[in-house]
Amino acid sequence: MDETIIKTINLHKEFATEEVRTLAVNGVDIEVKKGEFVAIMGPSGCGKTTLLNMLGLLENPTEGQYLLCGQDVSLLDEDERCRLRKGLIGFVFQSFNLIDDLNVEDNIMMPLLYMNVPKPERRARAEEAMRRMDIQHRAKHFPRQLSGGQQQRVAIARAVVMRPQIILADEPTGNLDSHNGNEVMDLLCQLHEEGTTIVMVTHSQHDASYAERIVNLYDGRIVDEVEL
């Protein structure tokens, strides 16, 4: 496994107002191989989520390069970033980010709608994703009718329905109890075993232990990396 899918070179991200400038990511060099499971750890405010957002093409860096599948994507505009994300990157967030007015099946199908996948295929792929996450019996339920663990299963199903090469997870167990958190981590491990590249931000040493490598961030810089 030697194919680099994510590579950053001297990556910076600065946020500025009239009164203060904050360097959230400060010269980060990171490589992630295809099929690898990497955890990014560090104290609150150290730049973990900002870095993940740049890896997910939600934000551009202020300075430096980002090579995604060998392509320099550092300065893409929003339309170009959106096109590249589709089908390549899936997201799992701490807050689930489900649409309250859509049922489970429709939440899962939503990314496929944006990808112009025909309705019969959208439904078939959603059913497959629900079976994998063991939530098919909740297909017509709404997010408010689900437990936190079930909502996160829906969020993971929504990510995998696109069959992405990469899943970026931001504190995926942060709103869950230990039982549901362990189930979510087991699901991520299953996806990893099937070949999906996973980069996960976490405060939890327990969750990080599921990864193959831990990258420790402090004040926007990588201070060390640990192979597991």
Side-chain angles (χ1 to χ4, degrees):
M1 184 177 65
D2 58 0
E3 183 180 345
T4 299
I5 195 167
I6 287 172
K7 182 175 182 177
T8 72
I9 304 168
N10 197 33
L11 206 67
H12 290 73
K13 182 65 177 183
E14 184 178 74
F15 297 101
T17 67
E18 292 182 358
E19 299 176 349
V20 65
R21 304 174 78 88
T22 302
L23 193 57
V25 173
N26 185 8
V28 165
D29 298 327
I30 188 172
E31 290 192 25
V32 179
K33 306 293 186 184
K34 186 175 182 179
E36 196 175 8
F37 188 165
V38 176
I40 300 175
M41 297 194 73
S44 296
C46 73
K48 302 186 301 297
T49 294
T50 300
L51 175 58
L52 199 73
N53 286 343
M54 286 191 287
L55 298 184
L57 302 177
L58 299 176
E59 298 180 22
N60 274 341
T62 307
E63 182 183 336
Q65 283 185 287
Y66 174 22
L67 305 178
L68 179 61
C69 300
Q71 177 183 350
D72 189 345
V73 298
S74 310
L75 299 176
L76 298 182
D77 64 29
E78 175 55 32
D79 288 342
E80 292 169 326
R81 296 202 306 269
C82 185
R83 281 196 296 271
L84 190 55
R85 277 197 304 268
K86 290 178 180 177
L88 177 62
I89 301 172
F91 296 91
V92 179
F93 301 98
Q94 176 179 350
S95 57
F96 317 135
N97 284 14
L98 302 178
I99 299 172
D100 291 337
D101 294 334
L102 296 182
N103 64 30
V104 165
E105 183 178 38
D106 289 339
N107 263 286
I108 293 169
M109 288 194 295
M110 183 59 67
L112 301 178
L113 183 64
Y114 293 130
M115 293 171 64
N116 298 316
V117 174
K119 188 173 182 178
E121 184 180 349
R122 291 202 304 269
R123 195 169 298 280
R125 285 171 64 171
E127 288 176 356
E128 176 192 3
M130 286 188 290
R131 281 196 303 272
R132 291 185 67 187
M133 298 299 122
D134 194 25
I135 51 171
Q136 64 272 30
H137 58 297
R138 300 288 191 179
K140 301 305 179 183
H141 288 214
F142 290 86
R144 63 183 175 274
Q145 298 173 300
L146 306 178
S147 69
Q150 290 166 340
Q151 289 187 61
Q152 194 60 295
R153 284 175 178 267
V154 176
I156 295 173
R158 181 186 55 194
V160 303
V161 77
M162 298 185 297
R163 299 169 184 164
Q165 294 184 47
I166 303 165
I167 286 182
L168 302 180
D170 191 356
E171 299 283 3
T173 69
N175 283 337
L176 304 177
D177 60 32
S178 59
H179 173 74
N180 284 304
N182 288 338
E183 286 192 347
V184 164
M185 290 309 304
D186 288 341
L187 290 171
L188 291 176
C189 282
Q190 178 185 334
L191 294 170
H192 168 238
E193 289 167 3
E194 293 169 0
T196 305
T197 305
I198 298 177
V199 181
M200 175 182 68
V201 160
T202 182
H203 281 100
S204 167
Q205 192 69 48
H206 173 266
D207 289 358
S209 69
Y210 286 81
E212 298 171 305
R213 177 162 54 104
I214 298 175
V215 176
N216 287 298
L217 226 61
Y218 190 79
D219 286 345
R221 292 181 177 273
I222 294 176
V223 291
D224 66 24
E225 300 188 28
V226 180
E227 299 283 346
L228 300 180

